[in-house]
Amino acid sequence: MPKRLLSIFFFSIQANCQGQPSFSRPRSLSLHDCVSEFESRAAFSMASTMQNGGTKRGSRKRVSQAEGNDSAPPAKAARTEPSAKPCVADIFETLEYGPAPESAAVANKWLEEHDRALGHFIDGKWYKPADRSTYDSVNQATGEKLATTLQGTNEDVDVAVTAARKAFKNWSTLSGHARARHLYAIARNVQKHMRLLAVIEAMDNGKTIRETRDCDVPLVARHFYHHAGWAQLFDTEFAGWKSIGVVGAIVPWNFPLMLLTWKVCPALAAGNTVVLKPASYTRLSALLLAEICSEAGLPPGVFNVVTGNGAFGSKLAEHSDVDKVAFTGSTGVGQLLRRSTAGTGKKLSLELGGKSPFVVFDSADLDSVVEGAVDAIWFNQGQVCSAGSRLIVQETIYETVVKKVKERMAHLRLGSSLDKCMDMGAIVDPSQRRSIDEMVQRARREGADVHQAYACMPENGCFYPPTLVTNVSTVSNIVQEEVFGPVLAVLTFRTPKEAIALANNTKFGLAASVWSEEINVAMEVAISIKAGAVWINGHNLFDAAAGFGGYRESGFGRDGGKEGMYEYVRPSWEERARPVVDEKKLATFGATVPGRPLNPNDGHGPLIHAIEGGSSLPSIDRTTKMYIGGAQKRPDATYSRPVLGADGKALGNVGEGNRKDIREAVEAAFKAAPGWGKRAAHNRAQIAYYMAENFVRSLPDDRKLHCMVPPSRFMSRLA
């Protein structure tokens, strides 16, 4: 063994001998003593592990399942007998991982304090109606029941929204500095409870403690700190804007704590109050955070948490006294919320699903690409809206990249969410696991090659192995639809133009990443991909100061940054419209029956005053054409409709567009979008300015001055 490594053991053993009853602390150690001491400690640790029923990860085989004979060799068997005394050479040969569990005691203590039966958290205190049904929160890694929570009703929504409305009167009138102090206090209290939050999140969701400890909880604190700054600057940075009112927030189960803060922090910073509905599967961390906020001094009613099933979330969104709905979740539910809130005067923001491309050029650092792919698709078991689930690789490096990814998959470790040495945890629920497997099996039936590999995975628990799917087409279901699991589909391209086309060949538009060491190629491709967030040589990089969101079927609105703050304010002059929605008319909403064209000879339009043969001549029909692709186009159909003036007379007729006209207009806009989007902002500003000048020239002289001079100055000149 090299002397350098033995020296490391020597200093390590000397530093840790004190306080160990099984070994006496020597005054000095030779290299021989150091090796003997290390071997004795290794044997003692292994014996203790086996006596306690533990298993070493290295004792499990690496498993590889695939189409054909693509399989990984099993790992070397480890010594598992407690009496066996491993030598240093064996340990360095196998490099096996021992268990590194995080204690669940802190979480169990908090749950026991509440008798493992949690209610709603409303108006700064626990609210537990006696006649409510309950739901069991389960640790999917072990099957252990953690606690019971309530299934809310309409009455519970009324109580929570009433408390939030009452608190809004005082919270919205607080100075920005006062709200900033509250958010800062919450951030500090979150940091003090970091271990409790991380353990509860890992147990309730199934994700690994490494992710909750090193990613989720730090980002929670970061968002509170960041938005404390926006609250402090609210009066200056958002002059002319005001808070909305009561915000109904609905968050999913994949990041129950982190995504919660994406809604709550900007809402509170802007002076709104919040009623939150967490996902059915993951309720505990939201309730814990509400209690932490209350302990930090947040006024009662400002932040409320109610629990219930999926339909319960719709009840919250449809409540008449909720002024804004903020939702993160599936595209299908987002569409339902869009319909239910339409015409109610409520503000709405949606962060929905995605099928994000992970574009790799042959100029990329392939080792970084492989680790980036691990973070993109197998982070949080692939249960991420922005997961890089489409690996789009240049043909020249396809075989190399696939080989490297498969080798990396064989070293991924699946296991207990509280083991700090695990790479992946459990799927959130058996129903989600079945959904993932059904999509993978469908891909297999369609002819795809499915490769599944891992270093270790428990036989029990809701786990699904990392999966690589190759030999797929662009229209394959596994390529087009969101799996929301640890499944990576691979496509190839030859040119950057083809890479852009493949990346944009999706109904989603949430996120993407481009991998290349040539910055010009990376920037050109990144700006051409239609996604809300595009990373270069990285993936799933989030920060409170950077807005995140998508478009197309990935939703609209932003979370984070100043743009995220605008989702929770409205202009000072604006009041919420509260139209009365007639449910009976919803079935026929939008239906139209074209009317007959108006006859100008009946007094609905001008007549030409020329007289010929003792009678007036009819006016000439001047139906306005459509403007598509830079030219005037006749409507595909012959239908038209009149445009009436204030006096009820027809000013003219416009064509009635049909599906063909709309399709041609959309195709023209789609064709022009890449070039227009790449123009410099200054150039776009120049064009917009020239358009305004031409518009003014077309006006009568008495209107030109009004358009070019601010209204106040124009009126003063008239005076």
Side-chain angles (χ1 to χ4, degrees), residues 110 114 121 126 189 286-296:
W110 179 74
H114 297 279
F121 198 88
W126 292 100
N189 211 25
L287 294 168
L288 172 58
L289 183 65
E291 187 178 74
I292 289 174
C293 291
S294 179
E295 292 173 355

Side-chain angles (χ1 to χ4, degrees), residues 307-325:
T307 58
N309 56 21
F312 183 71
S314 297
K315 296 173 184 176
L316 173 61
E318 295 169 1
H319 195 283
S320 60
D321 218 14
V322 169
D323 303 298
K324 149 84 179 181
V325 177

Side-chain angles (χ1 to χ4, degrees), residues 429-446:
D429 187 76
S431 62
Q432 178 63 18
R433 188 191 183 284
R434 286 193 297 271
S435 174
I436 296 169
D437 191 59
E438 286 171 2
M439 295 193 71
V440 171
Q441 297 309 320
R442 176 174 175 176
R444 198 190 297 269
R445 291 193 299 270
E446 291 176 352

Side-chain angles (χ1 to χ4, degrees), residues 362-572:
D362 56 10
S363 57
D365 178 357
L366 298 189
D367 290 331
S368 297
V369 165
V370 172
E371 293 306 313
V374 171
D375 288 336
I377 186 60
W378 294 308
F379 170 64
N380 196 29
Q381 299 74 252
Q383 299 170 137
V384 186
C385 310
S386 58
S389 54
R390 290 187 295 146
L391 177 58
I392 304 176
V393 188
Q394 201 155 12
E395 278 190 358
T396 53
I397 57 171
Y398 169 77
E399 297 292 342
T400 303
V401 170
V402 169
K403 181 180 178 181
K404 284 179 173 287
V405 170
K406 288 182 177 179
E407 173 62 24
R408 185 66 178 88
M409 290 169 63
H411 293 82
L412 293 175
R413 302 177 299 279
L414 287 72
S416 170
S417 58
L418 293 183
D419 191 332
K420 293 186 281 288
C421 291
M422 289 298 170
D423 296 304
M424 294 172 59
I427 302 298
V428 71
D429 187 76
S431 62
Q432 178 63 18
R433 188 191 183 284
R434 286 193 297 271
S435 174
I436 296 169
D437 191 59
E438 286 171 2
M439 295 193 71
V440 171
Q441 297 309 320
R442 176 174 175 176
R444 198 190 297 269
R445 291 193 299 270
E446 291 176 352
D449 296 330
V450 177
H451 177 86
Q452 295 178 323
Y454 47 86
C456 65
M457 186 173 75
E459 295 181 359
N460 299 319
C462 192
F463 295 92
Y464 197 84
T467 304
L468 185 71
V469 184
T470 55
N471 191 27
V472 294
S473 68
T474 56
V475 296
S476 298
N477 178 263
I478 201 75
V479 173
Q480 290 295 323
E481 297 298 329
E482 185 179 32
V483 180
F484 221 65
V487 181
L488 179 62
V490 188
L491 298 168
T492 61
F493 69 91
R494 295 179 180 177
T495 65
K497 186 175 182 180
E498 186 181 3
I500 294 169
L502 288 173
N504 290 331
N505 183 33
T506 176
K507 60 186 177 182
F508 300 104
L510 186 59
S513 63
V514 181
W515 296 76
S516 173
E517 294 298 299
E518 296 181 8
I519 189 62
N520 292 332
V521 171
M523 292 294 291
E524 178 71 14
V525 173
I527 200 173
S528 302
I529 294 178
K530 303 305 178 185
V534 182
W535 298 286
I536 293 178
N537 294 334
H539 203 99
N540 283 338
L541 305 176
F542 305 106
D543 188 81
F548 180 81
Y551 58 101
R552 294 179 179 170
E553 290 193 16
S554 291
F556 52 85
R558 292 296 179 267
D559 292 314
K562 189 173 184 178
E563 54 269 44
M565 285 289 294
Y566 281 110
E567 299 295 332
Y568 297 89
V569 294
R570 62 161 43 107
S572 299

Side-chain angles (χ1 to χ4, degrees), residues 597-612:
L598 297 179
N599 186 357
N601 295 310
D602 293 336
H604 292 289
L607 292 175
I608 293 180
H609 295 292
I611 302 295
E612 184 174 322

